[in-house]
Structures are given as structure tokens and as C-alpha cells.
Amino acid sequence: MPTPGEKLRALIENGEHFVAAEAYSALTGRIVEHVGFKAAYLGGHACSAFHYAVPDNGIFSQVEMIEQSARIAQAIQIPLIVDADTLGETVADAYHFTRRYVAAGIAGYHVEDEVNPKHSKHVNGLCSIEDMQLRIEAGAKARGDSGLVIIARCDELYTSANGGGGTGSVEEAIRRGHAYAEAGADAIVFASAPPEQQAEVIPHMPIPVCTLGFNLPDTAFTLSTAWGWVSAAVGHLAMARELMETGAVKSAMAAFTNFPEKYDLIDQKLYDDLIVEWAERTGRPVRGNHAR
């Protein structure tokens, strides 16, 4: 059986653009697999906001990300890509956490060159090219023969004016992209950058390029995020207000009734059959609608 990393590599090597759709929980992972996506993606914002109610400033730890991503990876058959932020603060962290991602069944991650705290009021900048290369190299050593796909995230085009640490230089983005490829990155993403700037950089990359949030020509795949967890939070807020104001959540009950896939997505029949077999073989009673 191919490893999760090998599955993801096969998708990339196939040459047909695919979308890794947002999955911030085991159930949402099952959902994106159920509707036909070939890969799933757990972003840092989705994980930190939905599970820990903190911003994506590098606050929540790699341990917390690994715990959540492991739950998703174990619930699905399609490969899961995760946002590994900076993989910790040192090359030792990068090596250790990579081993844990592999053990958790993760197919690939992206590691970035921003300095923590990121996406905040602090003007943080990027780490040196050499430091990023050493971090990628540590991850490449740690993955062994798992096939884990290492995606370098370069934030050079994500400028300070928009909350990033880059200067916006296309030339520097190209330089960093080549350096990260030399260090062992399998793919690269220029996150939170204008599409027109990314289009300038893509033809110069020696490894596959993926995008974050939108599709661009000549890219291998897209990491699609920020729609699932936000929609869930907005829906929960609306239903909580409905419950507070009316004493009932009729809209939620209607949604539950009209959600026919819910039992398939949580393996209801599998566990029902196991319990029925156990009950029958041990002489325990079984409800009439479950008896075989």
C-alpha cells in the first residue's frame, strides 16, 4: 500500500491540476473526500481559530497542529496537506516535528520563511535563506522513506503593508524559490501574494508551484481554505442566536433531517453491525429495527 506521501506525490506527478479542499476536522475531511476531492488541506488559520480560538500568529504550537491533523488523516483515504508554520524555532524542532507528522499519517506540509510572531502588528520580516534551507534539509532528513511532500512557503511577495513579512520583490522571490528547491523542497507556494506577481514568478521555478486560495495557470495544485471553518462559525453563531431568542433551533433540526449522508460519514452502519453481532453472539437483546 502506498504511504500518504506517496499518494500525494503521485497526484503531483500526474500533471493534472487538483484542489486540496479545506478540512478542519475529521468529519469535514470525510466530507471533502465524499464529494470527490483528491486531497484535503488543514490551514493554520482554520486550526488555530476553530479549535483553539486564537489568531494565526504562530501562537498555537506544532503539537496542537499535529494532534488535529492526525485526527483528520486517520479518518480519510485521500492525502492530507497541513500548514506547519515554521516547523518550530530550530532545525532540531524541524526534524522532530517532521517525524511526528509522518507518524500521524500526514502526506505533506508547507513550511514558511516568516519570522514569528507573524500576521500581526509586528513588522517581522523573513528568516535568512540559509536558515530556511537548513530547516527544509532537516525535514528532508527526518521524513526517511515516507514520501512526505515538503512544500516551501515563500512570503517574499506577502508584503508588510498587507500583514506579511516580505518586501514584494519578484527577483528575491525567484532567488528564494531556487534556494529552497536546492535544499530539498518538492514544491513551493507564494502565499497571500497578488496573482499577477505570482504569474511572474511561476515560469522561473524549478519545482512544482501550488497556490493558496485561488487557481493560476501552470500550477500543480491549489490549497483551498478559509471557507469551511468560517461558514461553520457563521452558521453556529446564527443558530445560537436563534436558540437564545426563540428557545429552539428549528433550522438546525431541518438541516439534520435533510442530511442523508450523515450516517455514511460517521460509519454508522459499520458500528451498528459490530454491535449487533456482539449482542447476538452473546445473547443480548437487539432492537427490532437492527435485528438481522
Side-chain angles (χ1 to χ4, degrees):
M1 290 291 290
T3 66
E6 289 168 344
K7 290 181 181 179
L8 181 56
R9 284 179 181 276
L11 282 177
I12 296 171
E13 291 168 4
N14 180 52
E16 183 178 341
H17 185 277
F18 65 92
V19 174
E22 181 170 65
Y24 54 87
S25 65
L27 182 59
T28 53
R30 286 275 178 89
I31 288 171
V32 299
E33 181 177 40
H34 175 74
V35 301
F37 285 100
K38 296 179 179 179
Y41 173 62
L42 174 60
H45 204 172
C47 190
S48 62
F50 199 87
H51 292 286
Y52 301 103
V54 296
D56 186 21
N57 296 147
I59 295 170
F60 81 116
S61 73
Q62 288 297 296
V63 172
E64 291 166 322
M65 175 59 93
I66 291 166
E67 288 175 349
Q68 295 300 334
S69 59
R71 293 186 176 99
I72 301 170
Q74 290 164 17
I76 60 178
Q77 299 300 311
I78 58 174
L80 174 67
I81 302 168
V82 303
D83 178 353
D85 284 340
T86 61
L87 271 178
E89 297 305 313
T90 71
V91 292
D93 293 333
Y95 185 91
H96 173 67
F97 289 129
T98 297
R99 293 181 67 185
R100 292 202 59 185
Y101 275 118
V102 170
I106 307 310
Y109 62 55
H110 61 75
V111 52
E112 66 194 62
D113 54 10
E114 281 221 28
V115 175
N116 281 323
K118 57 178 185 165
H119 316 327
S120 69
K121 297 295 184 181
H122 167 58
V123 180
N124 52 339
L126 307 184
C127 69
S128 71
I129 288 178
E130 185 178 26
D131 279 346
M132 183 64 170
Q133 284 183 307
L134 290 169
R135 195 168 294 167
I136 293 168
E137 288 174 7
K141 289 177 184 176
R143 67 183 164 190
D145 59 0
S146 67
L148 177 84
V149 174
I150 297 176
I151 304 165
R153 170 173 161 165
C154 178
D155 279 14
E156 173 56 29
L157 302 178
Y158 185 15
T159 64
S160 176
N162 296 313
T167 67
S169 167
V170 169
E171 293 75 17
E172 178 66 7
I174 293 172
R175 190 165 77 97
R176 283 180 174 264
H178 278 266
Y180 299 166
E182 290 170 6
D186 301 296
I188 191 162
V189 58
F190 296 93
S192 302
E196 58 273 15
Q197 273 195 309
Q198 294 196 43
E200 289 184 63
V201 174
I202 290 168
H204 299 281
M205 289 299 102
I207 52 177
V209 178
C210 67
T211 51
L212 184 63
F214 51 81
N215 299 338
L216 279 179
D218 302 318
T219 56
F221 57 100
T222 298
L223 306 173
S224 182
T225 187
W227 50 268
W229 78 266
V230 171
S231 298
V234 169
H236 199 103
L237 177 61
M239 291 179 189
R241 284 175 170 158
E242 182 183 350
L243 177 62
M244 174 61 72
E245 294 167 4
T246 70
V249 192
K250 294 180 180 178
S251 57
M253 292 309 299
F256 186 84
T257 303
N258 295 307
F259 184 21
E261 296 96 341
K262 60 182 176 291
Y263 294 121
D264 292 334
L265 292 169
I266 60 174
D267 294 330
Q268 185 74 52
K269 186 177 185 304
L270 168 67
Y271 288 100
D272 279 348
D273 288 348
L274 285 170
I275 293 168
V276 168
E277 182 180 5
W278 163 77
E280 290 178 344
R281 289 179 62 177
T282 56
R284 289 175 166 85
V286 177
R287 300 181 201 280
N289 61 336
H290 286 297
R292 293 182 298 189

